[in-house]
Amino acid sequence: MQVNQFFASLWDTYTDIAPQAERIQALFKSHGEEVINDHIAFRTFAHSPVSLEKLQPIFEEMGYEAYGAFRFESKHLKARCYKHTSEVDAPKIFLSELLTEELPQECQDIIAKLVAQIPEDAASDPAVFWKKRLWDVPSLEDYLTLVEHSEYAAWLSTMGMQANHFTVSINHLKKFPTIEAVNQLLQDEGYTLNSTGGLIKGSPELYLQQSSTMADKIDVTFAGGETRTIPSCFYEFALRHKQADGTLFDSFIEGNADKIFDSTNTK
C-alpha cells in the first residue's frame, strides 16, 4: 500500500470520531498555515494476532524502519517508533501494546475474551489499522473494570484498531512557531488541553515539546444495551528542537508520551 493512501484512510476513520481534528486543521489553514503531520499513534494488545511484532511488517512493507523502543512501567506498556527510510516528510509512527499479563486477573480475563475474537490473519492487511474493533463491544461492567485498572485497556476495548491521534508539526507552522502560541490559539478557541504534568510536555533541553487536546467524546452502546459517553481520539502538537550536532530530534521521550496517553482518560 502507498504511504499517502494509508494515511488518508487513517485520517478518514480518525476524524469520523474526532471531528475536532478537522476543525483545528481548518483553523490553522484559515491563518494561512500548511498543516504537516509529525506522527500518528496506535494502540494494541500484546500476545494477540495484532501484537506489535505482528503489525510491524505492515510498516516495513511501506518503507518504514523501527528506530526506538520504549517501556511505560506504570501503564504496563511497551512501544516502538518507526520512520520512513526515504520519504523525509512521511509521518512517523508510534505503536504501543498493552502487556496484559501485568494487569489484575479480572482484567486479563476480560481482555482474553476480546483477543479470542481477533482473526489469526488480522495483521495480514494494512486495513487492520482502520477496522476499529475486531471484537464485540464489551459489557459496561467489563469496561468499567478496565477503566479502574487501565484507561488504555478501556479505550482499546471500545475504540479498537485505529489511530488514536494525529500530530501537527509545529516546526512547519509560520504564524504559530512556538508551542505556547499554538496552545494559546487552541484555548482561545475553547479547546480543552491535556494538563497532566502541565500543558507542555518536555522542554527544549529534551529536544521535544508536546501538547494535546483532550479526546472528543462519542456515545457507545455496550453489550447489555447501556449507552455511555466515552473518550474517542485527540489531536497532538509537537515541536522538535535541534540537537548538539545540528540535526532535528526525531524520536520520542517516554516522560512526554506517558502524559500524552492521558488524553483519552475518562476522568
Side-chain angles (χ1 to χ4, degrees):
M1 175 173 284
Q2 295 295 315
V3 172
N4 289 345
Q5 179 187 355
F6 180 73
F7 285 102
S9 296
L10 292 172
W11 177 260
D12 287 344
T13 303
Y14 163 71
T15 54
D16 185 49
I17 60 171
Q20 64 172 315
E22 279 193 314
R23 295 196 302 270
I24 292 171
Q25 187 174 97
L27 174 64
F28 281 120
K29 290 181 178 179
S30 73
H31 287 278
E33 298 283 18
E34 180 183 11
V35 179
I36 302 297
N37 186 32
D38 179 87
H39 71 272
I40 60 167
F42 300 105
R43 301 176 180 182
T44 194
F45 292 120
H47 319 300
S48 79
V50 288
S51 65
L52 190 155
E53 65 177 9
K54 292 185 178 180
L55 292 171
Q56 181 168 304
I58 294 176
F59 303 146
E60 293 172 339
E61 288 173 8
M62 290 192 296
Y64 278 83
E65 64 178 2
Y67 68 109
F70 308 89
R71 182 72 163 93
F72 303 93
E73 299 286 349
S74 65
K75 288 185 168 62
H76 312 291
L77 309 173
K78 69 176 183 179
R80 297 215 73 177
C81 59
Y82 306 84
K83 61 184 175 182
H84 204 276
T85 56
S86 60
E87 297 185 26
V88 177
D89 285 335
K92 289 170 279 292
I93 296 172
F94 190 88
L95 173 61
S96 59
E97 65 177 5
L98 180 66
L99 304 175
T100 55
E101 69 275 12
E102 296 183 2
L103 299 180
Q105 189 60 52
E106 57 185 333
C107 293
Q108 293 186 44
D109 293 343
I110 293 167
I111 293 169
K113 291 187 294 185
L114 306 181
V115 167
Q117 301 173 54
I118 304 174
E120 283 299 321
D121 64 349
S124 64
D125 184 354
V128 68
F129 285 109
W130 54 86
K131 284 188 175 180
K132 302 188 179 182
R133 282 196 320 273
L134 302 175
W135 46 83
D136 295 334
V137 65
S139 68
L140 179 58
E141 180 183 3
D142 284 351
Y143 173 76
L144 293 177
T145 297
L146 294 177
V147 166
E148 180 181 355
H149 297 284
S150 170
E151 291 269 8
Y152 182 108
W155 184 93
L156 188 51
S157 74
T158 51
M159 296 295 109
M161 301 297 297
Q162 58 186 308
N164 63 80
H165 71 270
F166 276 63
T167 307
V168 173
S169 170
I170 298 175
N171 295 81
H172 289 84
L173 300 180
K174 306 299 182 185
K175 293 184 179 179
F176 304 94
T178 68
I179 196 164
E180 291 85 359
V182 168
N183 287 351
Q184 191 61 57
L185 173 68
L186 296 169
Q187 290 180 308
D188 289 346
E189 292 291 326
Y191 291 99
T192 301
L193 302 183
N194 176 341
S195 60
T196 303
L199 296 182
I200 299 173
K201 296 38 160 143
S203 66
E205 292 73 25
L206 293 174
Y207 307 116
L208 178 62
Q209 292 176 286
Q210 295 164 270
S211 65
S212 63
T213 64
M214 291 302 291
D216 265 315
K217 305 285 188 179
I218 62 168
D219 292 334
V220 169
T221 300
F222 290 89
E226 309 94 335
T227 298
R228 287 286 183 94
T229 302
I230 65 173
S232 59
C233 301
F234 62 97
Y235 212 10
E236 188 187 320
F237 314 90
L239 178 63
R240 298 181 178 277
H241 296 273
K242 288 185 178 180
Q243 303 172 96
D245 64 0
T247 62
L248 208 61
F249 181 76
D250 68 355
S251 189
F252 297 87
I253 305 294
E254 288 182 4
N256 290 17
D258 188 73
K259 299 176 180 67
I260 292 291
F261 280 124
D262 291 353
S263 301
T264 57
N265 281 6
T266 58
K267 52 187 181 295

